Amino acid sequence: MKIDLTDTTSSKINKALVQGRRAIGTPAVGMVLTLVIVTDEENAYDALKAANEASREHPSRKLVVVKRISRSPRDRAKARLDAEVRVGADAGTGETVVLRLYGEVMDHAQSVVLPLLLPDAPVVVWWPVNAPVNPARDALGRLAQRRVTDTYAAEHPVEELTARADAYTPGDTDLSWTRVTPWRSMVAAALDQVDCEVTSVEVEGEEHNPSCELLAMWLADRLEVPVKRAVSSGPGLTAVRMSTTCGPVNLDRADGSLATLSIEGQPDRAVALKRRETSELIAEELRRLDPDDTYASALRFGVHRLGDASDAKEAFEGTSSTASGSASRSASGSASGSVSGSASASGSVSGSASASGRTDASALERVTPATVAKRTEQK
């Protein structure tokens, strides 16, 4: 059922929602969250389609905010709100309100959205395109517990990661990070099968694909080893190759669907790593509304610290020597004994994949003498 409202208000939209629910015979509200989609007219259809498919897993009220740019100065000075209310089969699982804002009301979208939020339910704001520089300080972003962006849709995707790191606030996340969840889980599971030290990593993928950088930064942050970023023709991520003291561990995906896991001394195995649709990515992000500390740590590692293997190795060794010198100056004699006694632990790398598909924040943590001395000093 669809109800069109022209030059309307938030109060009239709420009445239309109640009217629509009664008309289809479902007066009860059984939705778990409000999903606010901020987009333009060009991308509104695809974004709403993905949200409707994700609502099968997360019944929600979807508010699509479309800001319409008026051509003439007279139209830009006139505030107007048009709405399209959808309930029943036309709205997926839940309700949908498409809000088209004209004139001065575009600068006050939060005043239109606020009365339409579900009471006592979390709010998620998603920008499929044209995300603000600082989502947490955006007028609509302030209303949300979770803010979802997509750097892949930016004009300069890799450079956008630096801006995301500078403006990061707990609750921020990005679909480019969500795309690498199966890769992180598979890499962690592969390292669970070996008892050796990772010495270097190469991440291969498309040139302007921020997911490749995020995966590389996550590996460099967790393993504390040099990580090289290599370019391929795609599609998307194509390979993760790790050099270890026990031999190479490789995960190659050339066709975008089926990957091959190769571990020294074991037969090659086929692994399903299909590129996922936007609806699956949104559904995954809606499963967890708490801050993603692993994403924050990987994002803050910095794109500038990735590059050629030799450059990364020099940077890493310089960081390690500085940390070791600081630890040795401040640690007591007992701490030094603890460091020497646990130095053998540095050769062990472990990874684990959670049942939900996310990799735990402590997975792939490498114990080094510097980190042991630092922990002993803190105690």
Side-chain angles (χ1 to χ4, degrees):
M1 179 178 180
K2 295 182 181 181
I3 302 174
D4 290 321
L5 302 173
T6 303
D7 198 6
T8 186
T9 63
S10 297
S11 176
K12 294 179 181 178
I13 295 172
N14 267 319
K15 292 179 180 178
L17 286 169
V18 175
Q19 176 188 345
R21 287 199 300 268
R22 289 177 176 172
I24 63 175
T26 57
V29 179
M31 292 163 284
V32 298
L33 59 89
T34 303
L35 177 61
V36 182
I37 306 171
V38 187
T39 184
D40 52 21
E41 200 69 62
E42 179 183 357
N43 296 278
Y45 175 81
D46 291 335
L48 184 55
K49 181 181 178 182
N52 283 338
E53 293 177 2
S55 69
R56 298 173 184 173
E57 184 177 341
H58 309 280
S60 57
R61 173 176 288 179
K62 298 170 286 294
L63 305 177
V64 185
V65 179
V66 180
K67 297 180 180 181
R68 299 293 297 270
I69 305 299
S70 302
R71 296 182 179 180
S72 65
R74 180 182 300 175
D75 291 337
R76 286 195 293 269
K78 182 180 179 181
R80 195 181 92 199
L81 170 64
D82 294 344
E84 182 181 328
V85 178
R86 305 178 186 179
V87 294
D90 295 318
T93 305
E95 301 169 341
T96 297
V97 181
V98 181
L99 304 167
R100 290 184 171 86
L101 283 58
Y102 300 82
E104 294 180 351
V105 74
M106 290 193 301
D107 299 326
H108 305 281
Q110 72 280 6
S111 300
V112 177
V113 170
L114 187 60
L116 301 176
L117 301 178
L118 289 172
D120 302 323
V123 179
V124 178
V125 178
W126 171 32
W127 290 270
V129 293
N130 302 325
V133 176
N134 192 334
R137 293 189 177 182
D138 182 79
L140 289 173
R142 290 192 185 101
L143 304 176
Q145 287 77 40
R146 191 78 163 179
R147 296 165 293 276
V148 184
T149 57
D150 191 355
T151 54
Y152 188 78
E155 185 175 357
H156 303 287
V158 177
E159 289 80 355
E160 188 76 11
L161 292 177
T162 303
R164 291 280 168 262
D166 294 338
Y168 176 80
T169 303
D172 292 354
T173 191
D174 197 276
L175 293 187
S176 295
W177 172 252
T178 316
R179 291 183 180 97
V180 302
T181 298
W183 284 85
R184 295 190 296 123
S185 299
M186 190 53 58
V187 168
L191 291 180
D192 243 350
Q193 303 177 41
V194 297
D195 186 15
C196 52
E197 181 181 356
V198 177
T199 57
S200 65
V201 180
E202 180 183 77
V203 176
E204 182 184 83
E206 290 176 327
E207 182 176 3
H208 300 293
N209 191 325
S211 296
C212 302
E213 269 71 22
L214 282 170
L215 182 61
M217 289 190 291
W218 173 71
L219 287 166
D221 180 50
R222 306 311 301 173
L223 293 174
E224 298 182 355
V225 298
V227 177
K228 178 184 177 182
R229 171 69 166 92
V231 177
S232 70
S233 58
L237 271 160
T238 53
V240 174
R241 303 184 180 96
M242 295 175 285
S243 299
T244 74
T245 54
C246 303
V249 177
N250 299 328
L251 185 62
D252 288 277
R253 185 190 69 178
D255 60 356
S257 60
L258 193 64
T260 301
L261 176 62
S262 304
I263 301 177
E264 186 74 15
Q266 300 182 21
D268 292 352
R269 280 164 286 181
V271 179
L273 273 180
K274 183 180 179 297
R275 302 191 74 193
R276 298 183 294 171
E277 300 292 335
T278 305
S279 58
E280 298 177 74
L281 304 177
I282 286 295
E284 179 183 329
E285 285 302 331
L286 295 181
R287 292 184 198 125
R288 286 185 55 178
L289 299 178
D290 56 317
D292 192 342
D293 296 331
T294 310
Y295 165 67
S297 180
L299 187 65
R300 287 169 174 163
F301 181 85
V303 179
H304 63 280
R305 297 174 65 181
L306 301 175
D308 293 337
S310 58
D311 296 339
K313 186 174 182 179
E314 291 175 2
F316 169 70
E317 288 177 348
T319 304
S320 297
S321 62
T322 303
S324 299
S326 176
S328 62
R329 286 192 300 270
S330 59
S332 63
S334 58
S336 300
S338 175
V339 171
S340 61
S342 59
S344 60
S346 64
S348 174
V349 180
S350 63
S352 60
S354 62
S356 63
R358 287 182 175 271
T359 305
D360 186 76
S362 62
L364 298 180
E365 179 179 6
R366 178 171 176 262
V367 182
T368 64
T371 55
V372 173
K374 185 176 180 181
R375 294 173 185 173
T376 307
E377 179 189 359
Q378 291 173 349
K379 292 181 180 179

